[in-house]
Amino acid sequence: MSLKPTDAVIVDAIRTPMARSRDGGFRHVRAEQLSACVIDALLARNPAVDPGSIDDLIWGCVNQTGEQGFNIARNAALLTRLPQLIPAQTVNRLCASSMTALHSAAQGIMSGCGETYIVGGVEHMGHVPMTQGLDPNPALSLHTTRAAMMMGATAELLARTHNISREEQDRFALRSHQRAHAARSEGRWAEQLIAVEGHDEHGFRCLIDSDEVIRSDTHPEALASLRPAFDPVQGTVTAGNASALSDGASALLVVSAARAQALGLEPMARVRAMSVTACDPAVMGLGPVTAVEKLLDETGLGVADIGLMELNEAFAAQALAVLKELQLLERLDSGINLEGGAIALGHPLGCSGARICTTLLHQMRQRDVRFGLATLCVGMGQGVATLFERLD
Amino acid sequence: MLMQGEMIRVTALGDGLYELVFDNQRRSVNTLSRACVTEFGDAITLLRAREDLRGLLISSDHESFIVGADVSEFLGFFRLPDEQLQALIGEMRSWLARLEALPVPTVVAINGEALGGGFELCLACDFRVMARGARAGQPEVRLGLLPGWGATVRLPRLIGLDHAIDWICSGRQVEAQEALAQGAVDACVEPAQLRHAALDLLQRAVRGEFDVTSRRARKQQPVPLTKLALTLATESARGVIAAKSGPHYPAPMLALDTLRQQAHLSATEAMPLELDAFIRLVRSDAALALVSLFLKEQKVKQIARRAAGSEASIQRPGIVGAGVMGGAIACQTALKLGPVVMKDVRATALQQGMEEAARTLASRVRRGQLDPEQRVRILSGITPTLGFEEFAGADLVIEAVVEDPGVKSRVLAEVETRLTSDVIIASNTSAIPISVLARSLRHPERFCGIHFFNPVSRMQLVEIVRGEKTSQATISRALGFARSLGKTPVVVRDGPGFLVNRVLFAYLLGFSLLLRDGVEFQRIDTLMETYGWPLGPARLLDVIGLDIARNASRMMAAGYPERMTFPGESVIDRLCALRRLGQKNGKGFYLYRSDDARKPRRDPELHDQIADLTGTGRAVSDEQIVERLMIPLLIETARALEEHVIGSPAEADLALVLGIGYPPFRGGPFYTLDRWGLARFVARCNQYRSLGALYEPTQQMRELAMAGRDYTDLTREVRA
């Protein structure tokens, strides 16, 4: 396979540890600071790239209010070693925001508008709760239901429509924690994780260098004992089988193949294809189904060609419904979320798109896989997917 | 004038515009009574025949638009067979359909309240203009029913299924601003501008500025949600509604199912489904009980209103005895009536009282019922004082010092000597006989009891206690005072425990006897909560406080020794001795953690601590447990009626629902007795004869049972 000069390639991908939102290590670290840390770390790791050559900083963030308001991309950039003349924009496609940031950069490169981008995203779920300042239009109820905004309720609906039992969901959650724990203990995240200064439980200044919400000790009985979080009467979705609340940031360095070659950078992979689709908001969790199908259609590939897949775990019920629809359930242990997912790591909304790409790209390199696919569901009914291809 | 009826008039406004005005000539409020529906039909027929008709304005000449159907007619309707009932409901439905189909724009001006059928009429119009401060709502579920005149069909098509579920399944009232935000009304204006704004809108609509056709089409079509969104909307609401309404109140769930079933139908196809559900609910036990209770509430309020009627209202109230209760009464007074003086001999008690008031007001601010400025104004309306100087000009003084006859008597005597001779003096006591306290006063005729329930801000009921020498004027003024605090007062005759605590402690004595016979209190709590009580007796005692319950039990035993004496040491006595005082100190029958004080937890230690009092006992069935608790309560209520402690079965039923949380769907004690059947009841009592006089029906109960009559008959005779 040969690269075109205008192919978008990923040169590096990193993330902060995912800290617990409630009383976690980043409780005194703001969202702009987390963002600045990953941007600076990315630049430091890639000295060949001149910070002044960045065409745009594109940053995903969902709840753009408070410390995340007023174009956080720019506010974060001003805290870094990026020169002040580098532009910055914040994008919002809810949970897929930073994947959309990647798509924008890739499109810029493919269309010849630019050659060097930093993309990524952040969400401080502890400082800026998901629904803070939210004011849905009452008239929305004439077109769909406001329960579509209650993600847990949409997951309950999927559990029902796709016959996904509480046990299946808990098993999936357990797997997420076990796999994440294994990846961490085996040091497989060494290349993607950067340590960030924060505070320990006593308020002492320390380096946060490890994800805080993974439960290495969880077991089936502990998960089974949790009460349904969204439907107390007949619900199956619990805090244990849904993504946890965490704070974090993640970033990717994206350049044109031509620029990579000129600077002597070794690409991790190229962006082979991208897709965005939408679906009924009532089953927002199914977004990845059409997004993946569209992507495969366009490339002529089949699911069998995909060596590794990262499917964001908003909810176990939602992830399982997607895998059922795509008939991928039996591939689960051979190629899907092999290092756990958002159930174990947490789901800082604006960060997650870049975070799953980061995890995927490092795995592709470690396991020498050609095609890797990352996809997320999006609240109110959308799906976003990216296909990466490793180069020989 | 085109038409002048007793309820409605129709006038021509010129240019083909007409106005239909609800103007009930007989009563202060507009209701959609049978007579009004008939006139409404006449008016619509008349308007349809006007060839020059170009637009219709609907309005009200009264303080409120329309408060709903006339509930006093309901019990009569409930007795009709299905077909006749359907025809009756169908009549108004067809008039509304004709209103909706008029070939000209229609606008309604909504002032005051547009509730139930009143708002369903608004929904049949093209446009709704609402006065600021006015309220709309579909409260039918609170009577165990659902809307029958099309709200379940028109409302979701107008504002979406989510909001329609909220309005109809909760029965709550919606303020004008919120109604506007949701699209339930088209404009919200100052009350003085209401008619002007409505007429202006009508003129614009007539000129064609607004698209009336598409508005009408939307109301006829299915709710435009996907099947999945429909499922999500109803299923995500189901759990919440089920948890709130519980198994005894079928209306909210049936309303939800009806909304769901017909959402994907056209309005024409949907209307019969609503009617079917309505008839089903009319036949439910809960609807009959809740409607009866509503009528009793109206009656009790009317009694208080009439009694209070001619007397001068209380202008300058004072409270003697601060602390938690005094502070709570002061707060309610300042909130509803205006400035109030609160006195105590101890500065710390005054501070405690002010803190209580501040806490209550803060929680109202949190719930959005007050703004912070109002809170400050209300709080500064309470003047704390150590002396009597501030009481100059007081016309009512409530004594709220500790529940100790000696202390109370001393304080009351001092109040009397310090104040002018025309002041009304009231004691807030839950159990000490008023006539005992009256002995310390020179003018017992100006003295009565005003028994507030705890927590004062939330408990609707107030017992006005008539002592042996209390004058009617004193009672009337006390009633007026309680009404002005937004409470529902009932007059009770003096005696240990008055009405509510007397009845409650008969029930709790039944509980103590069950414990003695080896029945586990957790089992009793579960059964009684399933029966419909908000809390089982053990949990209730933990809330009341075991020490308070013990003192009250002793007072009951002293007052009614033949029935209310527990032989030996009761579990309540034991818990007091062990300093297990209930929620207030973290342990009673259950354990309570300070972070979640209301959630009871099992205490494994308790069993051994009371084992010697609870024995092993015989097997007692679930049914027997319920009867052994309910029978003493029902008999004691009947006894109170016979002894003229309470004026009527209606007042007793309402007082016990409001005062101790008697399950509303069981209608109150007398309603329960009548449903049970007195002959059957007396027969059941005989099973428990061995338990003593507490289970002995009264002479009147036996006579009624023998004669095959009940308390409904008795009430009818008294009225006749």
Side-chain angles (χ1 to χ4, degrees):
Chain A
M1 189 228 71
S2 62
L3 274 173
K4 293 199 297 281
T6 54
D7 273 344
V9 301
I10 314 296
V11 173
D12 201 358
I14 58 171
R15 66 179 180 91
T16 67
M18 303 289 121
R20 205 171 47 246
S21 290
R22 191 173 171 184
D23 299 332
F26 294 151
R27 65 192 181 285
H28 303 305
V29 184
R30 293 167 57 112
E32 313 94 313
Q33 185 60 35
L34 285 176
S35 305
C37 285
V38 280
I39 294 165
D40 271 338
L42 201 58
L43 291 168
R45 276 162 60 130
N46 297 278
V49 177
D50 173 10
S53 72
I54 305 294
D55 289 298
D56 200 2
L57 170 73
I58 311 178
W59 214 242
C61 185
V62 172
N63 202 347
Q64 296 181 29
T65 185
E67 69 188 43
Q68 295 179 166
F70 218 66
N71 192 10
I72 184 175
R74 180 64 174 161
N75 296 319
L78 291 172
L79 302 177
T80 68
R81 37 190 289 225
L82 284 172
Q84 293 193 344
L85 40 82
I86 302 302
Q89 62 162 318
T90 312
V91 297
N92 191 353
R93 200 194 292 275
L94 300 187
C95 306
S97 295
S98 50
M99 184 174 277
T100 292
L102 169 64
H103 288 191
S104 293
Q107 287 155 4
I109 291 167
M110 291 156 76
S111 63
C113 287
E115 292 207 87
T116 314
Y117 293 85
I118 292 178
V119 303
V122 68
E123 203 83 24
H124 201 304
M125 309 284 285
H127 287 178
V128 189
M130 187 159 66
T131 53
Q132 183 172 308
L134 186 67
D135 179 17
N137 188 338
L140 192 65
S141 288
L142 280 168
H143 306 273
T144 182
T145 168
R146 61 186 163 183
M149 282 191 178
M150 303 178 220
M151 302 308 151
T154 68
E156 287 287 2
L157 182 59
L158 286 181
R160 199 165 315 149
T161 54
H162 287 67
N163 287 321
I164 299 164
S165 68
R166 168 75 185 267
E167 290 67 36
E168 274 178 276
Q169 295 175 45
D170 285 352
R171 218 178 306 132
F172 186 87
L174 184 65
R175 166 193 189 271
S176 185
H177 283 284
Q178 287 170 340
R179 285 190 170 269
H181 177 59
R184 177 170 63 183
S185 345
E186 291 160 19
R188 277 186 268 146
W189 291 337
E191 281 175 67
Q192 61 185 268
L193 264 181
I194 60 155
V196 176
E197 287 185 22
H199 298 84
D200 73 8
E201 55 187 306
H202 307 293
F204 292 14
R205 189 89 178 178
C206 67
L207 268 185
I208 305 295
D209 56 4
S210 162
D211 300 297
E212 292 183 344
V213 283
I214 302 170
R215 289 180 184 272
S216 54
D217 58 345
T218 196
H219 51 90
E221 294 74 36
L223 287 166
S225 70
L226 295 171
R227 287 210 286 198
F230 304 97
D231 177 351
V233 184
Q234 43 185 345
T236 56
V237 178
T238 68
N241 60 41
S243 53
L245 287 180
S246 65
D247 316 324
S250 178
L252 296 89
L253 182 57
V254 195
V255 302
S256 69
R259 175 63 62 90
Q261 197 178 17
L263 297 177
L265 298 167
E266 191 196 330
M268 300 177 84
R270 70 160 170 158
V271 176
R272 170 66 192 272
M274 303 168 277
S275 69
V276 188
T277 56
C279 64
D280 189 331
V283 285
M284 67 90 201
L286 290 181
V289 175
T290 47
V292 169
E293 283 170 351
K294 186 175 177 192
L295 208 141
L296 294 176
D297 266 3
E298 273 174 18
T299 54
L301 297 172
V303 284
D305 298 314
I306 309 298
L308 281 172
M309 182 168 164
E310 281 290 312
L311 164 63
N312 191 42
E313 299 171 351
F315 298 92
Q318 164 268 331
L320 287 165
V322 168
L323 294 175
K324 279 189 177 179
E325 292 254 336
L326 289 171
Q327 299 186 323
L328 278 171
L329 216 44
E330 69 276 14
R331 291 273 313 274
L332 192 58
D333 285 323
S334 60
I336 298 163
N337 294 9
L338 295 183
E339 296 180 347
I343 289 173
L345 289 169
H347 179 17
L349 310 176
C351 159
S352 288
R355 206 277 299 161
I356 63 168
C357 291
T358 297
T359 303
L360 175 68
L361 288 160
H362 286 279
Q363 278 184 79
M364 285 170 71
R365 187 150 71 184
Q366 287 162 4
R367 295 169 194 260
D368 195 18
V369 165
R370 183 173 176 198
F371 288 110
L373 193 159
T375 181
L376 304 95
C377 64
V378 176
M380 303 307 286
Q382 298 192 56
V384 181
T386 309
L387 181 67
F388 296 100
E389 182 178 13
R390 267 181 51 77
L391 311 160
D392 306 322
Chain B
M1 184 84 60
L2 222 61
M3 169 179 157
Q4 174 68 67
E6 283 201 305
M7 311 285 170
I8 290 172
R9 68 167 190 272
V10 179
T11 56
L13 303 175
D15 294 332
L17 304 187
Y18 288 83
E19 183 170 10
L20 186 161
V21 184
F22 284 89
D23 179 16
N24 190 337
Q25 309 275 311
R26 283 191 252 166
R27 290 176 58 189
S28 60
V29 292
N30 290 315
T31 61
L32 289 168
S33 60
R34 284 293 299 140
C36 188
V37 167
T38 306
E39 280 191 24
F40 182 68
D42 294 345
I44 295 295
T45 308
L46 188 97
L47 287 160
R48 270 156 57 97
R50 300 301 297 186
E51 280 177 12
D52 65 335
L53 182 70
R54 294 180 66 214
L56 174 65
L57 176 66
I58 298 181
S59 65
S60 145
D61 250 7
H62 286 237
E63 230 169 81
S64 262
F65 179 67
I66 295 172
V67 296
D70 185 348
V71 182
S72 67
E73 294 175 345
F74 279 19
L75 294 180
F77 297 162
F78 283 14
R79 283 192 281 271
L80 296 175
D82 285 3
E83 308 77 55
Q84 282 182 44
L85 188 55
Q86 275 165 359
L88 195 76
I89 299 160
E91 191 183 324
M92 184 61 179
R93 290 177 139 221
S94 75
W95 293 128
L96 290 180
R98 271 170 235 188
L99 166 65
E100 197 168 40
L102 280 179
V104 300
T106 53
V107 176
V108 57
I110 304 167
N111 61 329
E113 291 176 343
L115 302 176
F119 195 69
E120 292 184 285
L121 188 147
C122 301
L123 287 171
C125 297
D126 295 320
F127 299 92
R128 285 151 294 279
V129 179
M130 201 163 176
R132 201 178 293 274
R135 290 191 306 272
Q138 299 296 155
E140 290 83 355
V141 291
R142 303 205 168 179
L143 295 179
L145 301 169
L146 53 65
W149 288 337
T152 70
V153 177
R154 292 189 180 99
L155 198 55
R157 285 159 178 79
L158 183 70
I159 61 174
L161 192 60
D162 295 328
H163 305 301
I165 289 172
D166 171 27
W167 285 51
I168 291 169
C169 298
S170 78
R172 73 185 178 97
Q173 296 193 359
V174 182
E175 298 273 343
Q177 287 290 351
E178 190 185 356
L180 176 67
Q182 292 184 358
V185 300
D186 301 282
C188 166
V189 299
E190 289 305 319
Q193 296 274 317
L194 179 65
R195 189 172 173 283
H196 180 52
L199 190 58
D200 180 69
L201 202 167
L202 181 62
Q203 285 160 341
R204 288 171 189 273
V206 168
R207 284 203 298 272
E209 283 184 33
F210 303 117
D211 182 358
V212 177
T213 317
S214 72
R215 282 171 169 268
R216 288 193 176 185
R218 198 169 92 198
K219 280 202 276 175
Q220 298 303 320
Q221 288 156 2
V223 174
L225 292 192
T226 63
K227 220 173 147 189
L228 285 164
L230 177 61
T231 305
L232 182 58
T234 46
E235 293 314 301
S236 62
R238 185 176 303 276
V240 181
I241 294 169
K244 236 180 168 173
S245 57
H248 302 298
Y249 302 89
M253 286 302 258
L254 190 58
L256 180 70
D257 287 335
T258 306
L259 282 159
R260 177 179 181 161
Q261 281 158 17
Q262 45 95 334
H264 277 167
L265 304 177
S266 72
T268 320
E269 295 165 318
M271 289 294 280
L273 269 63
E274 178 189 89
L275 189 56
D276 286 350
F278 186 86
I279 303 278
R280 267 176 68 191
L281 286 175
V282 164
R283 303 299 177 220
S284 70
D285 291 341
L288 189 59
L290 293 173
V291 166
S292 304
L293 204 57
F294 177 85
L295 295 173
K296 286 169 189 170
E297 187 172 1
Q298 299 304 107
K299 190 186 162 196
V300 167
K301 286 182 171 165
Q302 189 189 52
I303 291 171
R305 192 167 55 236
R306 288 197 180 146
S310 53
E311 295 293 331
S313 59
I314 299 299
Q315 305 288 341
R316 293 183 60 86
I319 292 155
V320 174
V324 172
M325 204 63 189
I329 299 169
C331 178
Q332 186 72 18
T333 310
L335 178 72
K336 295 284 180 179
L337 192 62
V340 57
V341 183
M342 176 166 70
K343 181 199 169 299
D344 204 288
V345 291
R346 291 176 309 135
T348 49
L350 285 174
Q351 193 179 346
Q352 199 184 10
M354 291 306 288
E355 278 165 8
E356 174 66 23
R359 213 171 13 247
T360 308
L361 293 172
S363 89
R364 279 182 184 266
V365 171
R366 256 198 318 280
R367 276 177 279 150
Q369 297 164 343
L370 280 184
D371 64 45
E373 266 180 49
Q374 286 171 306
R375 172 190 168 192
V376 172
R377 208 166 42 241
I378 292 161
L379 200 57
S380 57
I382 306 174
T383 308
T385 174
L386 293 164
F388 274 102
E389 295 74 27
E390 317 279 348
F391 280 73
D395 45 9
L396 171 89
V397 173
I398 300 174
E399 165 278 308
V401 302
V402 290
E403 277 294 82
D404 177 312
V407 178
K408 277 189 184 298
S409 297
R410 265 201 312 282
V411 170
L412 288 166
E414 187 185 8
V415 169
E416 189 177 43
T417 52
R418 293 294 196 111
L419 298 178
T420 52
S421 59
D422 55 348
V423 68
I424 305 261
I425 300 173
S427 177
N428 174 62
T429 171
S430 58
I432 304 172
I434 287 303
S435 306
V436 171
L437 297 175
R439 284 178 210 144
S440 62
L441 295 173
R442 276 174 291 156
H443 292 285
E445 72 280 4
R446 286 194 278 107
F447 176 63
C448 69
I450 299 185
H451 176 204
F452 287 93
F453 291 76
N454 206 2
V456 174
S457 61
R458 286 214 307 275
M459 295 295 283
Q460 195 57 36
L461 185 71
V462 170
E463 284 181 314
I464 305 289
V465 188
R466 186 200 299 273
E468 280 163 21
K469 296 182 177 158
T470 308
S471 73
Q472 184 53 42
T474 300
I475 292 293
S476 298
R477 295 196 70 192
L479 279 169
F481 173 69
R483 270 169 48 78
S484 66
L485 297 193
K487 299 296 176 193
T488 304
V490 292
V491 178
V492 295
R493 213 184 76 174
D494 193 20
F498 314 131
L499 171 71
V500 170
N501 279 332
R502 172 175 175 176
V503 169
L504 175 63
F505 278 88
Y507 166 86
L508 291 175
L509 184 53
F511 173 64
S512 290
L513 292 171
L514 276 171
L515 295 185
R516 179 199 65 188
D517 292 347
V519 184
E520 284 203 331
F521 65 86
Q522 288 97 336
R523 181 180 168 209
I524 301 175
D525 273 1
T526 307
L527 274 172
M528 295 319 280
E529 283 163 23
T530 308
Y531 184 80
W533 289 87
L535 299 175
R539 288 184 64 193
L540 179 65
L541 281 162
D542 277 356
V543 172
I544 295 172
L546 274 301
D547 48 345
I548 299 204
R550 180 197 49 191
N551 294 347
S553 301
R554 285 179 183 166
M555 209 153 339
M556 297 307 149
Y560 313 105
E562 68 289 356
R563 293 192 303 284
M564 300 271 214
T565 309
F566 184 85
E569 183 187 10
S570 73
V571 171
I572 294 176
D573 297 329
R574 174 66 57 85
L575 293 191
C576 280
L578 291 166
R579 296 292 299 161
R580 302 183 66 114
L581 301 183
Q583 265 184 19
K584 61 183 162 192
N585 76 343
K587 57 180 181 176
F589 282 96
Y590 299 90
L591 288 180
Y592 303 87
R593 286 212 311 245
S594 57
D595 57 331
D596 191 3
R598 268 187 249 163
K599 192 180 171 198
R601 288 157 217 274
R602 218 188 172 101
D603 182 356
E605 287 179 9
L606 181 61
H607 182 267
D608 290 345
Q609 295 176 338
I610 57 173
D612 59 312
L613 301 180
T614 51
T616 46
R618 299 146 288 173
V620 183
S621 72
D622 289 356
E623 192 190 9
Q624 284 171 328
I625 290 175
V626 171
E627 288 182 350
R628 284 183 57 173
L629 283 162
M630 293 305 294
I631 285 173
L633 182 156
L634 296 170
I635 294 176
E636 203 59 31
T637 314
R639 208 180 288 279
L641 179 72
E642 287 169 39
E643 294 172 6
H644 306 289
V645 169
I646 186 82
S648 65
E651 288 163 275
D653 280 351
L654 185 74
L656 289 159
V657 168
L658 297 182
I660 58 173
Y662 192 98
F665 74 97
R666 296 192 188 274
F670 287 110
Y671 185 91
T672 305
L673 280 168
D674 284 359
R675 296 288 286 180
W676 204 329
L678 279 171
R680 227 186 98 216
F681 178 79
V682 168
R684 291 306 301 167
C685 293
N686 290 339
Q687 306 276 318
Y688 302 106
R689 205 177 286 159
S690 64
L691 291 168
L694 193 61
Y695 293 82
E696 181 91 20
T698 67
Q699 190 53 37
Q700 187 183 42
M701 290 177 110
R702 290 186 190 284
E703 285 167 14
L704 286 170
M706 290 283 279
R709 300 185 323 140
D710 62 17
Y711 287 99
T712 314
D713 300 327
L714 206 64
T715 308
R716 219 174 283 133
E717 283 160 28
V718 170
R719 215 176 283 160

